Amino acid sequence: VGVSNAAELYTNLVLFTKRETSQVLAQFCQELVQESERTQAGFVNVFEWHPTQQFWQARVVCPARRIESVVLDEGVKERLLGDIEEFLGEDTRRWYKEHGIQHKRE
């Protein structure tokens, strides 16, 4: 039972492997993560933050739209686009790699 006045289904998966075949399990887990983070061109994955459980939950996949059609308060769009441009820049990618941090936003 969830905490938001609605039933929520939580599932767990426990996997075991022999030590000598642990790479197979690691590869399987890596593929699961990659699949869960997969995106589709022309669409945007929308996530919702759950402050009580401290995680982002995928909510909906929407068709992408042109940035010119997005209405935001004055200056917000420019700051947002600047932040995105900086985050995707080569210097930022290098910094994340040098510090051993996965280059993605959470």
Side-chain angles (χ1 to χ4, degrees):
V1 177
V3 294
S4 61
N5 297 329
E8 294 186 29
L9 176 64
Y10 292 96
T11 59
N12 294 312
L13 175 64
V14 179
L15 302 172
F16 296 92
T17 184
K18 294 180 179 178
R19 186 174 297 170
E20 56 272 6
T21 60
S22 63
Q23 284 298 82
V24 173
L25 183 57
Q27 179 65 31
F28 175 70
C29 291
Q30 186 176 29
E31 289 176 15
L32 285 176
V33 170
Q34 287 173 347
E35 180 63 24
S36 73
E37 294 177 347
R38 185 174 54 90
T39 59
Q40 184 178 0
F43 290 86
V44 175
N45 296 327
V46 179
F47 292 83
E48 179 181 22
W49 176 250
H50 288 272
T52 54
Q53 287 95 11
Q54 297 289 302
F55 74 97
W56 288 96
Q57 181 176 6
R59 276 291 168 207
V60 68
V61 178
C62 299
R65 50 191 259 208
R66 295 181 25 207
I67 193 67
E68 294 80 18
S69 72
V70 177
V71 178
L72 295 170
D73 288 339
E74 186 175 331
V76 173
K77 187 187 301 186
E78 292 75 17
R79 287 193 308 272
L80 177 61
L81 291 173
D83 181 60
I84 292 170
E85 191 173 314
E86 179 184 349
F87 181 75
L88 296 176
E90 195 55 42
D91 288 345
T92 303
R93 290 179 187 275
R94 192 176 314 108
W95 186 92
Y96 273 73
K97 186 174 183 175
E98 289 170 0
H99 290 85
I101 302 170
Q102 191 174 7
H103 185 250
K104 70 177 197 175
R105 289 279 173 95
E106 301 230 10

